[in-house]
């Protein structure tokens, strides 16, 4: 059912995006068309990546999910940087961290918890990820804020570039650790029945063609979407911060959000938690530093320095998620707690 809706949205949305931009339709209408089209295209990218992951094995599958999981957001952010909207990019990175840790995890725990009283997941993974989250969000994001108080613009940028390179190297090392040297070392031994043969939805060739086409379409629509931000913000009274934290983050990660909730409902909590937490780590340790380095090619550079509300929100989200997930099991009330935190922060960003 969802797949048919997504197909309809793509078949309608892509031509409308082209026609609307050529005929200069109102920005607000085009903003809605672009957002729905990107969400639907992200769904196709997710399905293609999943098929490739099954065909090519778990190691390459993990790497593919890492690369394409946040591809939509990365593309939107690159066009935003090109347009000089550094505030929107930093806000969307904040929104991704908050969205994954509070909204996605919260919805997954809540929806899964309404069906099962207790849901378990790999406690070793949870603890490993907890340390990485503290490093990626608290060490790598708070340090620039503290150290750059009395720094010049060029020194701030040098510090940001240095931190970005370290983050990318550590992220690659973390992938190597998980997919190569320690693959299977901390596996669950309780549920052998889950290792049934998975059948890919599409063949390898078809999946690669769909993935390439969807990525190109997302790149085109994203560029158009970025140009509607200022007018849409003025119309609805949304700040640059709110557009980045809530709108761009939700549009960029919509397909991921849906699949995490579906996995939790099927009681595949290891996968649901991996999507929520793995995606957060990917944003903090790979997407953000890559965007800092890409911004060097444009007139407006992006330092890795967030505003105080963004920083405090991310740090709070990390600690809350660690406290809730460190025991390796969840219930619906823990999910509701995460969702409540997300809505409190959402109201705050809306009123800023």
């Amino acid at each position: 059912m969802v797949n048919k809706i997504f197909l309809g949205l793509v078949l309608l949305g892509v031509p409308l995006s082209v026609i609307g931009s050529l005929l200069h339709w109102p920005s607000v209408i085009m903003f809605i068309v672009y957002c729905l089209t990107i969400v639907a295209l992200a769904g196709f990218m997710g399905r293609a990546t999943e098929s490739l992951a099954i065909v090519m094995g778990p190691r390459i599958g993990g790497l593919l999910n890492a690369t394409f999981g946040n591809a939509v957001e990365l593309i939107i952010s690159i066009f935003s940087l090109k347009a000089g909207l550094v505030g929107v990019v930093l806000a969307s990175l904040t929104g991704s961290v908050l969205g994954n840790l509070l909204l996605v995890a919260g919805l997954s725990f809540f929806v899964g918890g309404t069906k099962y009283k207790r849901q378990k997941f790999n406690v070793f993974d949870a603890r490993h990820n907890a340390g990485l989250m503290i490093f990626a969000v608290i060490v790598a994001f708070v340090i620039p804020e503290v150290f750059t108080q009395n720094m010049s613009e060029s020194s701030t940028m040098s510090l940001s570039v240095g931190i970005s390179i370290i983050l990318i190297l550590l992220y690659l090392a973390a992938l190597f650790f998980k997919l190569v040297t320690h693959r299977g070392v901390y596996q669950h031994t309780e549920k052998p029945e889950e290792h049934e043969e998975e059948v890919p939805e599409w063949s390898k060739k078809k999946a690669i063609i769909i993935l390439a086409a969807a990525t190109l379409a997302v790149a085109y629509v994203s560029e158009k979407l970025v140009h509607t931000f200022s007018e849409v913000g003025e119309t609805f009274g949304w700040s640059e911060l709110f557009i980045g934290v809530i709108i761009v983050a939700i549009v960029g990660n919509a397909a991921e959000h849906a699949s995490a909730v579906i996995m939790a409902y099927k009681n595949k909590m290891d996968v649901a938690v991996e999507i929520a937490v793995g995606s957060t780590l990917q944003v903090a340790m790979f997407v953000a530093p890559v965007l800092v380095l890409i911004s060097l090619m444009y007139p407006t550079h992006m330092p890795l320095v967030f505003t105080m509300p963004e920083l405090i929100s991310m740090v709070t989200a990390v600690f809350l998620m660690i406290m809730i997930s460190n025991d390796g099991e969840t219930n619906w009330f823990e999910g509701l707690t995460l969702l409540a935190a997300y809505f409190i922060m959402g109201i705050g960003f809306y009123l800023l």
Side-chain angles (χ1 to χ4, degrees):
M1 180 64 185
V2 176
N3 292 345
K4 282 182 180 172
I5 293 169
F6 277 179
L7 179 63
L9 281 174
V10 168
L11 294 177
L12 257 175
V14 175
L16 280 178
S17 299
V18 177
I19 295 163
S21 69
L22 291 173
L23 300 178
H24 305 293
W25 287 356
S27 288
V28 176
I29 292 170
M30 292 317 297
F31 174 79
I32 295 164
V33 170
Y34 296 147
C35 285
L36 290 173
T37 307
I38 288 172
V39 169
L41 286 165
F44 275 93
M45 287 168 76
R47 285 161 66 195
T49 309
E50 233 165 81
S51 296
L52 286 174
I54 295 166
V55 174
M56 299 165 95
R59 289 185 196 190
I60 297 172
L63 200 58
L64 276 172
N65 280 316
T67 312
F68 285 97
N70 288 305
V72 175
E73 190 169 7
L74 188 61
I75 293 165
I76 296 173
S77 296
I78 289 169
F79 285 117
S80 300
L81 279 180
K82 195 179 170 189
L85 301 171
V86 170
V88 170
V89 177
L90 286 168
S92 76
L93 293 170
T94 304
S96 270
V97 171
L98 299 181
N100 284 313
L101 292 182
L102 302 177
L103 181 65
V104 178
L107 269 176
S108 301
F109 296 172
F110 180 76
V111 170
T114 54
K115 194 177 177 189
Y116 304 93
K117 286 238 184 294
R118 289 166 73 196
Q119 289 188 295
K120 297 193 172 193
F121 52 89
N122 193 327
V123 74
F124 298 107
D125 268 352
R127 287 170 189 163
H128 170 73
N129 288 337
L132 272 182
M133 277 197 293
I134 287 177
F135 172 82
V137 174
I138 297 169
V139 177
F141 288 175
V142 174
I143 293 289
E145 177 64 39
V146 176
F147 279 74
T148 56
Q149 295 289 327
N150 302 311
M151 265 189 201
S152 67
E153 220 171 279
S154 61
S155 300
T156 300
M157 207 56 216
S158 301
L159 177 69
S160 299
V161 169
I163 290 172
S164 298
I165 292 165
I166 293 166
L167 278 170
I168 292 169
L169 292 174
L170 191 72
Y171 179 69
L172 295 175
L175 280 181
F176 188 69
F177 175 85
K178 244 184 185 174
L179 302 174
V180 183
T181 67
H182 282 64
R183 181 175 167 240
V185 173
Y186 300 120
Q187 273 335 57
H188 260 323
T189 49
E190 293 166 29
K191 300 183 240 177
E193 74 276 3
E194 272 188 24
H195 295 294
E196 56 204 56
E197 195 62 40
E198 283 191 281
V199 181
E201 185 184 355
W202 298 322
S203 67
K204 186 176 168 183
K205 188 181 174 184
K206 187 179 176 183
I208 289 171
I209 291 168
I210 288 172
L211 191 58
T215 307
L216 284 172
V218 163
Y220 173 81
V221 180
S222 299
E223 188 186 11
K224 302 294 178 193
L225 174 71
V226 168
H227 297 304
T228 64
F229 286 164
S230 55
E231 210 171 307
V232 167
E234 281 169 28
T235 308
F236 292 110
W238 293 346
S239 64
E240 206 176 72
L241 196 60
F242 180 76
I243 289 175
V245 171
I246 306 295
I247 311 296
V248 177
I250 287 177
V251 169
N253 295 306
E256 252 175 357
H257 294 190
S259 49
V261 176
I262 291 163
M263 289 300 171
Y265 191 71
K266 290 179 179 174
N267 205 22
K268 293 186 176 179
M269 285 312 285
D270 278 334
V271 184
V273 171
E274 187 53 44
I275 290 172
V277 178
S279 194
T280 304
L281 290 172
Q282 200 181 92
V283 166
M285 299 177 73
F286 187 74
V287 176
V290 162
L291 287 169
V292 170
L293 299 178
I294 287 173
S295 78
L296 298 173
M297 302 188 311
Y298 299 121
T300 313
H301 296 172
M302 184 182 90
L304 204 58
V305 179
F306 293 88
T307 63
M308 204 46 86
E310 289 172 331
L311 263 186
I312 291 171
S313 300
M314 285 192 283
V315 170
T316 308
V318 166
F319 280 130
L320 187 58
M321 183 61 177
I322 288 170
M323 291 308 294
I324 280 176
S325 66
N326 238 6
D327 59 353
E329 59 177 65
T330 64
N331 51 58
W332 69 262
F333 184 73
E334 289 180 341
L336 203 58
T337 308
L338 292 171
L339 286 173
Y342 184 75
F343 288 119
I344 287 171
M345 291 173 193
I347 294 167
F349 282 115
Y350 178 72
L351 296 172
L352 262 184

